[in-house]
Amino acid sequence: MLAKLDQLTERLDELNVLLTQEDATSNMDNYRKMTREHAELGPLVALYGNYRQAESDIQDAQGMLSDPDMKEFAQEEIAAAKARMEQLEIDLQKMLLPKDPNDDRNIFLEIRAGTGGDEAALFAGDLLRMYTRFAERNRWQIEMVSESASEVGGYKEVIVRIIGFGAYSKLKFESGGHRVQRVPATETQGRIHTSACTVAIMPEADEVEDVNINPADLRIDTYRASGAGGQHINKTDSAVRITHIPSGIVVECQDDRSQHKNKASALKVLAARIKDVQLREQQSKEAATRKSLIGSGDRSERIRTYNFPQGRMTDHRINLTLYKLDFIMDGDLTELTNALAAEHQAEMLAALADAT
């Protein structure tokens, strides 16, 4: 690890020189790459500098051990510096872990009502509000892409695009089955019902071209939009349905009056879904190796239970139970997302230790 850190320190010095040269901005793409690399390396090298300083402090203190008047002070300095080095080593290992290339991307959030009929559709609406409030707390933008509303409220299926730096990194562990236990408003006997929804978090492809889609593999149908949208939307065949024949993935979009815009939105969702399938296959292989459930991408897996009578939320993957369900449903997900990220990081560190 130290040899790698020495190399990265040299690379930062090299970038400092390159970025101050007169012709540094002549190739803007290359300049942007270098500034991004510089921004990533800076904190890591600074941390490594602290580690080397702690090493130096130990050497200096060891030189004072032979002096009876300074011995006690030197021992305290050595103990403190060793403790600092241990913590810094953990921090450096974390920073050296491979970064998920999708972490900074926007996402498509897809929620589907599962078992439970009307109550599942209402819960899908509650989940959408929860994620929307979380997005607002992070100052992210939200765009409705596609919705299939339920007659009693909520959604049979809804897709939104969340635009914000780091959206995928914070929400990528939300994919899976979400179960709710509560007394529905229509329940006269006060019995608790159990319903479920499926959540999918898909990183947006930079461009649709990022995902190799052969136009010959697509069947594109247009049809008259249904539901809300006013009189105009029902008079034209503006809604678009795209079927990717090899995978059987079907995407529908009718949110805009423009057929062209609906087609563009549907293609973006299709690209994200295909990318998501590829990611899940890759994650499943990695998860099988690590025996991990976080990030395995298995949609059928029940990841979380929301128990309203007890006011608790339990994430089954990391055995985390929080008794603040009202806050969670209002978008206060930071404690949960941080715990999931920390567990994932711990797994990666353990895998790194096993490999060495």
Side-chain angles (χ1 to χ4, degrees), residues 222-237:
T222 56
Y223 59 99
R224 196 152 296 179
S226 61
Q231 293 177 336
H232 172 83
I233 202 162
N234 292 319
K235 290 179 185 171
T236 58
D237 290 347

Side-chain angles (χ1 to χ4, degrees), residues 173-178 301-305 314-317:
F173 300 121
E174 293 300 298
S175 291
H178 294 240
E301 177 208 341
R302 191 186 77 216
I303 63 166
R304 196 171 297 150
T305 296
T314 300
D315 194 290
H316 305 292
R317 295 164 298 176

Side-chain angles (χ1 to χ4, degrees), residues 109-153:
L109 160 67
E110 181 180 289
I111 305 171
R112 290 187 183 193
T115 52
D118 291 344
E119 174 62 11
L122 290 169
F123 182 51
D126 293 338
L127 286 175
L128 178 64
R129 182 182 180 277
M130 178 181 83
Y131 290 122
T132 300
R133 296 284 291 120
F134 181 66
E136 287 167 358
R137 287 165 187 254
N138 284 280
R139 294 189 169 86
W140 298 335
Q141 289 175 266
I142 300 129
E143 284 178 4
M144 180 64 75
V145 175
S146 171
E147 59 181 306
S148 173
S150 163
E151 292 78 11
V152 296

Side-chain angles (χ1 to χ4, degrees), residues 320-354:
L320 173 70
T321 297
L322 298 173
Y323 286 90
K324 53 178 213 177
L325 189 55
D326 288 349
F327 293 99
I328 288 166
M329 297 311 294
D330 195 44
D332 183 3
L333 301 178
T334 305
E335 186 177 353
L336 176 61
T337 55
N338 285 350
L340 287 161
E343 181 69 20
H344 181 60
Q345 208 169 50
E347 285 174 0
M348 289 173 75
L349 284 168
L352 200 68
D354 289 345

Side-chain angles (χ1 to χ4, degrees), residues 299-310:
R299 299 276 168 76
S300 62
E301 177 208 341
R302 191 186 77 216
I303 63 166
R304 196 171 297 150
T305 296
Y306 304 76
N307 186 302
F308 277 74
Q310 295 178 18

Side-chain angles (χ1 to χ4, degrees), residues 92-289:
L92 285 165
Q93 280 182 337
K94 285 180 183 176
M95 289 187 83
L96 283 170
L97 287 173
K99 193 172 181 287
D100 186 331
N102 295 308
D103 270 354
D104 298 338
R105 292 180 188 267
N106 303 329
I107 58 168
F108 287 104
L109 160 67
E110 181 180 289
I111 305 171
R112 290 187 183 193
T115 52
D118 291 344
E119 174 62 11
L122 290 169
F123 182 51
D126 293 338
L127 286 175
L128 178 64
R129 182 182 180 277
M130 178 181 83
Y131 290 122
T132 300
R133 296 284 291 120
F134 181 66
E136 287 167 358
R137 287 165 187 254
N138 284 280
R139 294 189 169 86
W140 298 335
Q141 289 175 266
I142 300 129
E143 284 178 4
M144 180 64 75
V145 175
S146 171
E147 59 181 306
S148 173
S150 163
E151 292 78 11
V152 296
Y155 300 94
K156 296 172 189 171
E157 180 181 324
V158 60
I159 303 172
V160 295
R161 180 173 174 240
I162 297 180
I163 306 135
F165 186 78
Y168 184 72
S169 71
K170 291 201 173 148
L171 288 173
K172 62 182 172 183
F173 300 121
E174 293 300 298
S175 291
H178 294 240
R179 185 177 69 165
V180 62
Q181 294 171 326
R182 64 184 175 187
V183 179
T186 54
E187 170 57 62
T188 54
Q189 304 294 317
R191 288 173 300 195
I192 294 168
H193 287 225
T194 299
S195 310
C197 288
T198 304
V199 171
I201 302 291
M202 301 172 289
E204 183 180 39
D206 276 346
E207 294 292 337
V208 172
E209 290 77 25
D210 273 10
V211 178
N212 188 18
I213 301 175
N214 184 346
D217 289 339
L218 301 179
R219 187 173 74 240
I220 301 175
D221 302 306
T222 56
Y223 59 99
R224 196 152 296 179
S226 61
Q231 293 177 336
H232 172 83
I233 202 162
N234 292 319
K235 290 179 185 171
T236 58
D237 290 347
S238 60
V240 174
R241 180 187 297 113
I242 300 178
T243 306
H244 184 245
I245 296 160
S247 66
I249 294 171
V250 179
V251 178
E252 296 181 1
C253 192
Q254 59 175 43
D255 207 56
D256 202 279
R257 291 181 176 188
S258 158
Q259 187 186 112
H260 177 73
K261 285 182 181 173
N262 280 331
K263 183 182 173 185
S265 290
L267 277 170
K268 278 187 176 180
V269 176
L270 178 66
R273 279 194 184 162
I274 292 170
K275 185 183 179 75
D276 181 56
V277 168
Q278 294 166 351
L279 265 177
R280 280 192 286 141
E281 284 172 359
Q282 179 191 334
Q283 287 168 346
S284 293
K285 285 175 190 166
E286 289 171 5
T289 310

